[in-house]
Amino acid sequence: MTPSAIIVIGSGLAGLTTTSQLLTHRIPVLLLERFPKPGGNSIKASSGINGAPTRFQPLPSLDSIATFQTDTINSAGGPYISATGAEKARRERLIATLTERSAEGIYWLTDEVGVELSRVARLGGHSVARTHRGSGKKTPGYDIVSTLLGRVSADELFRMETERRVTRILKEEGQEGGRVVGVEYAVVKEGNQTVVEQAYGPVVVASGGFAGDARGLLAQYRPDLAGIPSTNEEREGTQPLLQEIGAAVVDMEQVQVHPTGFVEGGDGEAMVKILAAEALRGEGGILVLGDGRRFVNELETREKVTGEVMERAEKLPTKARQWDVKLVLDEGAAAALESHLGFYMWKGLIRKTTVGELGEEMAALEGTLREYVDVVSGKKKDEFGRESFGNWTITEVKPESVVYVGKVTPVVHFTMGGVVINELSQVLDAQGRPIPGLWAAGEITGGLHGQNRLGGSSLLECVVFGRIAGDEAAAFYKGLAPSAQ
Ligand SMILES: Cc1cc2nc3c(=O)[nH]c(=O)nc-3n(C[C@H](O)[C@H](O)[C@H](O)COP(=O)(O)OP(=O)(O)OC[C@H]3O[C@@H](n4cnc5c(N)ncnc54)[C@H](O)[C@@H]3O)c2cc1C
Ligand SMILES: *[C@@H]1O[C@H](CO)[C@@H](O)[C@H](O)[C@H]1NC(C)=O
Ligand SMILES: *[C@@H]1O[C@H](CO)[C@@H](O)[C@H](O)[C@H]1NC(C)=O
């Protein structure tokens, strides 16, 4: 059967990037999305996307592909260090591909797609500023996703169908293990009747991670995280659909707990939280315990900062598992994140106050800030090892000094594990052989980030491996259906 289109599952950044690339090759695309609205978790991304080196990084830019690679490897930790043989080589090639093609990915977004990404912050685990976002009011995830969606929607070869939940990948058995020929999906029709339909064609899976799958895959792989709130809406993981047809998975127990989700007002019991973007710390914010003492280098990797919070902070008396930590910004850090702050303050997650007013509940805060000012000015070395201070500008701490403060707690955020791919975004089976007709990109895939993903590298993997998946699937389609060229 000649397929009429390539099927892309999921309308987040990985799916939209793949789609855009397929359309560039003039291949028809059928995009299937389970929810009524496109965008996935990608639309929520609030800190930015990595690229090294780019013309947007502050001068003198000390960044290079090699530095980005070293930071990624250091962050990946145990699973990278202990891998051997073909597995080690594959992890190395994924990291090399991500970092070598990062600048090209940023320039694709800015120069071809038309997204502005001129602001660059330094996030945890990065040795320089390399996480790009726009200077305007839109958050990077929303800005990138909506611009890409507008671009692909204008193309006559593009068709998106929402409220289509893919339930099965169809594989034709045959020589060399067979090949993927389509998908089955559930549609809810009038009268709430669920109907199963099929679509035929090569498949690119871009259905995201399972950090919102508390009752399913998270409970299976990380029961110890039960009760910790998440930044992700409830949505089941899709790795099992691929495992059913022979795909291998890796690092499934590697789940990122982000150190800072906002504990909302009210009773604070919400299990889905708004993320306190890492850029808040990158642009100068600090973390303090309930009484106002600092306790960590805020720009350590997420894994390390979360570990310190759980060890050093008091538990909150809530049903949800939460800890008593506050994020504090001075006016300079707040100015650098004006549009974010506007949103968080409107939501009541961060309030503007003074050091004096906070003194009652946080007795140690004034002393902490005095000491910190000496660290920023270079008079003192930071006892926790922080070396970069964003746009922290306050030089003298008085009771009337303005600060911005919000309650934060660790939140389940991202899944590093997923289906095994190679550097061509092909999905591999347990023997390491590509499954013909099947590619995957984005958070559905595993192995690249090891035990800790660096902030900004998820949007980047969607762009880099989504573009590769688009190129590879296009070549396959042309070979499969010469008449369609
Ligand atoms: C609040 C928040 C802030 C973040 N900030 C950043 C940041 O600043 N920088 C960064 O790099 N990363 C950030 N991340 C992580 C990043 O946004 C995601 O990891 C990334 O966008 C994943 O993209 P994706 O395309 O792989 O998946 P998603 O964007 O999640 O898209 C997957 C899509 O597939 C659909 N889908 C799933 N299953 C099915 C199915 N069975 N059938 C049909 N459709 C299906 C989903 O509904 C969804 O629309 C953040 C994440 C969150 C939650
Ligand atoms: C369909 O489901 C929705 C949501 O659960 C419900 O509000 C509605 O009444 C249902 N309609 C029918 C015809 O059963
Ligand atoms: C840094 O802070 C100062 C002082 O509040 C502010 O005027 C300036 O705009 C900030 N810089 C950036 C890049 O936002």
Side-chain angles (χ1 to χ4, degrees), residues 9-15 32-35 37-49 131 140 164-167 206-209 231-232 235-236 238 241 273 275 302 413-414 441-444 453-462:
I9 307 172
S11 63
L13 181 56
L32 298 174
E33 166 57 50
R34 65 176 289 168
F35 288 128
K37 283 202 181 141
N41 281 320
S42 302
I43 211 159
K44 297 202 219 168
S46 46
S47 283
I49 173 165
T131 307
R164 302 286 187 278
R165 184 170 56 86
V166 173
T167 49
S207 47
T231 51
N232 299 27
R235 181 177 93 197
E236 80 249 36
T238 46
L241 301 186
K273 305 271 192 219
L275 183 73
R302 291 173 179 183
H413 181 60
F414 180 89
E443 199 177 338
I444 174 79
R453 167 179 72 86
L454 288 173
S457 278
S458 175
L459 293 184
L460 177 63
E461 83 174 305
C462 292

Side-chain angles (χ1 to χ4, degrees), residues 429-482:
D429 67 13
Q431 282 74 46
R433 295 172 309 196
I435 298 173
L438 184 65
W439 297 264
E443 199 177 338
I444 174 79
T445 69
L448 168 63
H449 308 291
Q451 71 187 30
N452 184 74
R453 167 179 72 86
L454 288 173
S457 278
S458 175
L459 293 184
L460 177 63
E461 83 174 305
C462 292
V463 167
V464 168
F465 291 98
R467 295 185 74 213
I468 293 173
D471 288 341
E472 293 296 313
F476 180 88
Y477 184 91
K478 287 180 179 174
L480 202 66

Side-chain angles (χ1 to χ4, degrees), residues 6 17-29 151 155 157 466-475 477-478 484-485:
I6 288 190
T17 300
T18 304
T19 296
S20 175
Q21 202 66 13
L22 286 165
L23 294 173
T24 303
H25 293 287
R26 306 314 300 149
I27 309 286
V29 176
R151 183 175 138 114
D155 197 310
L157 294 180
R467 295 185 74 213
I468 293 173
D471 288 341
E472 293 296 313
Y477 184 91
K478 287 180 179 174
Q485 282 182 50

